[in-house]
Amino acid sequence: MKTIIYTCPYIPAEWIAAHGLHASRIVPDHVDADLSLARAEGVCPYVRSFIGQVMADKEAGGAVLTTVCDQMRRAFDIIVRNGAIPAFLMNVPNTWQTPAAQALYIDELKRLGRFLVQLGGTSPSDEALAEVMLEYDDARTSIRSAREYLSARRFADAIAQNRVCNKLHTLHAEPLVEGVPLALAGGPLMRSDYELFDMVEQLGGRIVLDATETGDRGMCPEFDRARLRKDPLRELARAYFGSIPDASRRPNSDLYEWLERELIGRAVRGIIFRRYLWCDLWHAELGRLKDRIELPVLDIDSAGENHLERPRISNRIRAFLEMLQ
Amino acid sequence: MIDAPERITLEEWDLRYEKLYRAGLPQPAYGGPLSRHVSDGDHRLLKLRYDNSPAALRLWNFLLTEEDRLHRARAAGKKIVGTMKDLGTVPVMAYSFDNMVAFYPDGAWWIPCVMEYSAGLLEIADSLGIDESFCPVRAMLGAFVTEAHFPIPNMLICSVGATCDDFSAIAQRLNGLGHSIFWWEIPHRRCPEQAEATAELPGGLSAPRCQVEFVKSELARVKVALEQLAGAELDEERLSAGIRQANLVRQSLAELRYLAFTAEPCPIPALEMLVAEMLAIHYCSDRGETMVVLEELLDEVKVRVRAGRGVLDADAAKIFWVNPVADLQVMNLLEDCGGRLCGTEYLFTHALDPIPENVPPLEALARAALADPMAGSSIDRAERICSDVCRFGAEAVLISRIPGASHCALEGQVISEVVADTLGIPVLEIEVPPVADSMSPTVRTRLEALAETVRARRRSRQNRWRNG
Ligand code: SF4
Ligand code: SF4
């Protein structure tokens, strides 16, 4: 079975899987950064690593990118010119409130479907799509219900695992550490960034809300089963495009509504705001977050050089936690 | 007998102005000596060199008095629309109403340069969390906070989707500060699929019909919002008339560009051409006067071309310039280093290409908006650059990277590769901050080297030709 790699949360894995292909949401790492790019300065480290991983992948059947941010849109140009595998750029509108934007998203899913068929996939019937959606929905429900008894790291791992395969290993309960409840907010994490969860715990905190793109925030909410049976594609679009809050949406008020709700719901006492250097979309939200949310915010920027950044980050988190305790 | 065309300093312009004034130079209401703008804080003017024609004087005075025009428009009861990011589409709609003017708050991009950082706008942006990792358009935030550079518009309309992250993020920050924004979506322009209905776009591009329909529906939303603001309907006839007017400006500019880029010697400096091109985007808040200013400049250029006179040496290296440059002085520097402008792509070719007049007006604007180089792929943009390089006969391409711009790093690579692969001509990338004084020696060296490379290639071509 061919594997289709992607990273954007607005690409429904169910849609790829329903075409009989394996959907794999890759979590690139700093070490994957494409060194052949003419310039590193000005390029978001995540984009650099994503390009590097796609370029290095000779096995995947295809790569799917979206227009959610400008740099990813440009990454597509690089991949399509120099990469070895077929690539597809899906238009995901930034505006979300008009029926036209919602219809555009559905049209783009259909266009993605045609691309998948060209790669050897089969166009799914409504029943087949609904079945796959139910499987994924069940898997996500088990992850969500495991949140209370998994460490933040394990919870994040489970989400990542679900994106590569919707069949989960059993999620065993584990002893949880006590710590100052924190939220981690921002764009996507890379593989080695997951050590942040452990670092926070070792320093006396606990991430109770993973509001990163690769965490809770980027996870599709539960499907409405009645709507799913009636019109699965429309329900897929509603759940993904209509519900995942993100900095890129215009306006992005839904991101703050979601955050406010979750922060209160999980009694969060401080926010670690994790962003990449040269990511304008998230960087610009830092000031807004501070204006709007009445919680202490620790800004941690990353140039994608984890080994050099680790001591600095650890010191800053320690000081942040001391201030909160 | 015409005055010998030359590039002169601001001081020299003052002396010349006195002479022209005494000789009875006719001037518009916004006329006057250029140096008066320095007392408004436009310190960079002291360091620039200008074309010495009265037409150029008018051009500069027109550009530098836009704020006054906006205040007068407000005082006269006109509605002011701040159009953001689309560069050239929504203003065509706005100027089709009698009681509306549109301008681009994005134009604050130039303030840090023109005022040599003295306006403090970047510090305000910094304080709002928008630091130097963003492009100079962040000055816009400061301009909204100080309200010192333009009146706060009655309505803000911003295109998002296939735009840069810098602008999108900054506009959202502005929105978060309480400025209401009407967002409209411009999708990434893609290639039509096999058997998919296609529409032709300006600039020789094409797009799937459904994308044109989508943008049309977005512009229909914009139209309704504008109608509500104006309290008047914008029917097809009025919009078509607005498009015809826009095309007159574009036609005049096209003629000017062709002569400026191809005539030998170069009839008009790069800096005045940059200003002239910017007029096409939103008419500097007065469409009628834009037409007059451009016509006057065009007449001057035609006279010079007929007389075989120009502002630069005839052997100047012909350089195609990509992206607007954050420091205007670098346009002077190009010429000081032995280069001349031979084609430009300042990220708004869609505001220069004629808008179709053979389709319904909203559809025409949708096609123009989709032709935005920012909306398409970097490869499309590079191909357009290649075709314009050939059209104007440029010998090298200079990509002027914009500090912090989300599109520049990856796009620069694609453009360089495509130009090198397709045309085999030299490509140079430089990064220029809003005030490049401290980098000037480095930039100068690189520009001189580019001009010298071009001349060396010419010599070797001539030698090859002579030696059969
Ligand atoms: S982190 Fe920012 S720049 Fe990087 S891919 Fe995500 S949105 Fe784009
Ligand atoms: S210069 Fe580039 S990054 Fe800056 S606003 Fe213009 S298009 Fe956007």
Side-chain angles (χ1 to χ4, degrees):
Chain A
M1 189 193 286
K2 276 189 182 164
T3 295
I4 305 299
I5 53 178
Y6 70 101
T7 181
C8 176
Y10 290 105
I11 297 172
E14 294 88 329
W15 186 235
I16 297 171
H19 281 77
L21 302 168
H22 177 228
S24 174
R25 184 173 174 191
I26 54 177
V27 183
D29 200 13
H30 302 270
V31 292
D32 299 323
D34 188 340
L35 302 175
S36 68
L37 287 180
R39 287 165 53 78
E41 200 199 333
V43 185
C44 154
Y46 189 84
V47 169
R48 249 190 293 150
S49 293
F50 181 75
I51 295 176
Q53 196 170 345
V54 175
M55 296 290 216
D57 196 332
K58 308 278 183 266
E59 304 297 316
V64 182
L65 288 82
T66 68
T67 58
V68 160
C69 86
D70 189 29
Q71 294 206 38
M72 271 295 176
R73 200 156 67 91
R74 312 279 165 194
F76 176 77
D77 295 338
I78 302 278
I79 290 169
V80 96
R81 267 180 65 78
N82 306 327
I85 57 174
F88 180 89
L89 181 65
M90 178 170 162
N91 247 311
V92 174
N94 285 158
T95 53
W96 46 274
Q97 55 286 70
T98 65
Q102 292 148 18
L104 176 62
Y105 179 80
I106 293 182
D107 285 347
E108 285 293 290
L109 281 181
K110 290 179 182 163
R111 196 168 65 84
L112 170 60
R114 293 194 286 278
F115 171 75
L116 298 175
V117 168
Q118 277 169 20
L119 296 184
T122 319
S123 188
S125 63
D126 276 359
E127 293 71 35
L129 174 60
E131 201 179 311
V132 175
M133 285 169 67
L134 288 173
E135 270 178 43
Y136 272 81
D137 205 36
D138 288 344
R140 280 189 294 261
T141 306
S142 359
I143 294 174
R144 282 197 191 93
S145 51
R147 180 192 290 130
E148 305 314 322
Y149 58 81
L150 290 184
S151 70
R153 168 72 181 255
R154 284 276 318 281
F155 184 60
D157 282 341
I159 294 175
Q161 188 200 338
N162 170 248
R163 283 167 183 151
V164 180
C165 168
N166 66 330
K167 308 267 187 301
L168 292 171
H169 300 302
T170 317
L171 298 169
H172 294 297
E174 55 189 3
L176 298 183
V177 295
E178 289 292 316
V180 180
L182 298 176
L184 180 65
L189 295 183
M190 290 202 241
R191 266 199 311 280
S192 44
D193 295 334
Y194 281 59
E195 68 186 20
L196 264 176
F197 297 102
D198 301 331
M199 190 189 280
V200 168
E201 289 191 1
Q202 282 151 16
L203 294 170
R206 181 172 176 230
I207 303 292
V208 294
L209 172 63
D210 180 359
T212 64
E213 183 176 305
T214 31
D216 231 355
R217 182 180 58 76
M219 196 159 45
C220 166
E222 250 177 86
F223 293 129
D224 176 316
R225 302 231 164 177
R227 282 197 289 231
L228 186 153
R229 278 189 204 93
K230 209 165 143 221
D231 188 343
L233 183 57
R234 189 162 294 277
E235 175 56 9
L236 191 68
R238 186 204 62 78
Y240 275 86
F241 181 65
S243 313
I244 298 178
D246 192 57
S248 62
R249 308 200 8 132
R250 293 295 171 266
N252 60 18
S253 36
D254 57 342
L255 172 65
Y256 288 90
E257 282 153 22
W258 181 88
L259 266 177
E260 275 159 358
R261 210 175 44 241
E262 298 294 325
L263 291 169
I264 293 171
R266 302 196 202 173
V268 170
R269 291 185 38 211
I271 302 171
I272 298 179
F273 186 79
R274 169 64 165 55
R275 63 183 172 86
Y276 294 105
L277 218 59
W278 308 115
C279 168
D280 297 332
L281 293 181
W282 280 100
H283 189 171
E285 293 310 318
L286 175 62
R288 188 129 167 270
L289 187 75
K290 287 178 177 169
D291 289 350
R292 189 157 164 174
I293 309 270
E294 285 177 2
L295 281 176
V297 178
L298 174 68
D299 172 31
I300 294 185
D301 59 350
S302 167
E305 286 164 351
N306 269 26
H307 54 294
L308 299 176
E309 292 167 358
R310 200 171 293 125
R312 174 180 64 102
I313 293 175
S314 161
N315 284 339
R316 299 198 58 217
I317 293 178
R318 178 179 293 113
F320 187 59
L321 283 165
E322 275 168 14
M323 188 263 293
L324 289 175
Q325 268 156 356
Chain B
M1 182 68 190
I2 57 167
D3 287 327
E6 57 175 333
R7 297 184 306 140
I8 59 175
T9 62
L10 194 67
E11 211 178 321
E12 288 165 335
W13 238 125
D14 276 354
L15 297 173
R16 181 167 166 69
Y17 178 81
E18 275 304 311
K19 230 168 80 186
L20 290 169
Y21 182 72
R22 278 200 300 274
L25 173 76
Q27 288 190 81
Y30 56 80
L34 278 186
S35 61
R36 76 187 197 282
H37 302 292
V38 176
S39 55
D40 295 339
D42 297 346
H43 303 295
R44 200 68 179 156
L45 300 183
L46 290 165
K47 313 238 173 71
L48 303 179
R49 291 176 74 195
Y50 308 83
D51 183 75
N52 66 341
S53 65
L57 174 72
R58 184 169 191 160
L59 175 77
W60 280 103
N61 272 327
F62 184 52
L63 176 79
L64 296 168
T65 52
E66 184 177 10
E67 191 188 338
D68 303 341
R69 265 191 302 287
L70 286 170
H71 283 293
R72 271 202 308 278
R74 167 142 300 161
K78 291 197 175 191
K79 299 292 183 198
I80 299 179
V81 178
T83 47
M84 295 157 86
K85 194 69 209 92
D86 69 286
L87 298 184
T89 304
V90 175
V92 177
M93 299 169 89
Y95 281 98
S96 301
F97 292 92
D98 296 330
N99 62 344
M100 200 176 273
V101 291
F103 80 103
Y104 279 93
D106 324 20
W109 203 91
W110 302 100
I111 296 176
C113 164
V114 175
M115 301 187 76
E116 292 191 336
Y117 297 132
S118 63
L121 303 187
L122 299 184
E123 287 80 350
I124 296 173
D126 282 342
S127 72
L128 294 169
I130 306 293
D131 64 15
E132 71 284 347
S133 68
F134 290 80
C135 106
V137 84
R138 68 195 180 101
M140 178 181 80
L141 268 186
F144 270 97
V145 171
T146 59
E147 299 188 22
H149 300 275
F150 46 72
I152 299 301
N154 298 90
M155 177 182 262
L156 289 173
I157 299 180
C158 183
S159 65
V160 282
T163 62
C164 59
D165 289 341
D166 298 67
F167 200 90
S168 175
I170 292 170
Q172 177 62 75
R173 186 76 179 100
L174 183 66
N175 186 219
L177 294 175
H179 292 271
S180 157
I181 295 180
F182 182 99
W183 308 97
W184 67 281
E185 182 85 27
I186 181 82
H188 173 82
R189 185 184 66 241
R190 63 172 174 86
C191 293
E193 289 180 57
Q194 239 181 5
E196 192 176 18
T198 302
E200 279 177 23
L201 307 183
L205 297 163
S206 65
R209 177 85 247 147
C210 61
Q211 286 203 315
V212 174
E213 288 302 323
F214 176 81
V215 177
K216 206 167 103 184
S217 72
E218 288 296 281
L219 292 178
R221 288 202 301 122
V222 173
K223 183 167 99 66
V224 170
L226 289 174
E227 286 173 334
Q228 280 164 359
L229 179 67
E233 200 198 332
L234 180 58
D235 59 24
E236 285 214 351
E237 204 177 312
R238 292 176 76 159
L239 189 52
S240 298
I243 289 176
R244 280 196 297 279
Q245 291 295 319
N247 279 342
L248 287 178
V249 172
R250 293 174 187 212
Q251 202 179 313
S252 196
L253 193 59
E255 216 180 324
L256 181 62
R257 290 178 85 230
Y258 189 76
L259 288 175
F261 299 155
T262 59
E264 289 187 26
C266 174
I268 183 99
L271 193 49
E272 277 70 19
M273 280 309 295
L274 171 65
V275 175
E277 289 200 24
M278 289 191 315
L279 296 192
I281 301 176
H282 76 288
Y283 321 120
C284 227
S285 305
D286 186 339
R287 190 178 57 191
E289 186 60 18
T290 288
M291 204 54 220
V292 177
V293 168
L294 286 179
E295 283 298 326
E296 205 171 290
L297 202 61
L298 179 58
D299 289 345
E300 176 70 29
V301 166
K302 281 179 179 167
V303 169
R304 290 178 180 182
V305 172
R306 270 200 299 274
R309 308 177 88 163
V311 287
L312 301 171
D313 290 344
D315 76 334
K318 299 174 179 173
I319 310 295
F320 190 100
W321 196 288
V322 177
N323 291 336
V325 64
D327 184 353
L328 296 170
Q329 200 186 23
V330 175
M331 301 310 282
N332 285 161
L333 198 56
L334 168 75
E335 296 172 334
D336 298 343
C337 295
R340 66 168 285 189
L341 219 52
C342 184
T344 54
E345 207 284 30
Y346 292 140
L347 272 166
F348 52 80
T349 43
H350 63 303
L352 307 180
D353 291 327
I355 305 167
E357 290 189 31
N358 57 350
V359 294
L362 219 46
E363 154 126 19
L365 288 177
R367 292 189 192 202
L370 261 177
D372 184 343
M374 177 55 73
S377 74
S378 312
I379 301 167
D380 278 0
R381 190 175 174 213
E383 284 169 356
R384 166 76 187 250
I385 288 168
C386 288
S387 119
D388 283 357
V389 163
C390 296
R391 179 165 162 245
F392 297 126
E395 299 164 291
V397 169
L398 190 144
I399 303 173
S400 156
R401 255 193 334 261
I402 301 153
S406 66
H407 52 100
C408 274
L410 295 177
E411 186 181 52
Q413 174 172 349
V414 173
I415 295 173
S416 304
E417 286 174 5
V418 172
V419 170
D421 293 354
T422 315
L423 304 174
I425 60 173
V427 182
L428 173 69
E429 267 197 80
I430 56 170
E431 181 162 301
V432 180
V435 176
D437 292 349
S438 62
M439 301 177 56
S440 177
T442 320
V443 176
R444 177 181 281 275
T445 309
R446 301 191 71 198
L447 291 177
E448 280 170 350
L450 182 66
E452 188 41 45
T453 307
V454 165
R455 279 194 216 95
R457 284 167 60 92
R458 265 188 215 159
R459 283 194 295 274
S460 86
R461 247 196 334 267
Q462 282 159 359
N463 287 343
R464 274 205 309 275
W465 191 67
R466 258 190 236 115
N467 302 335

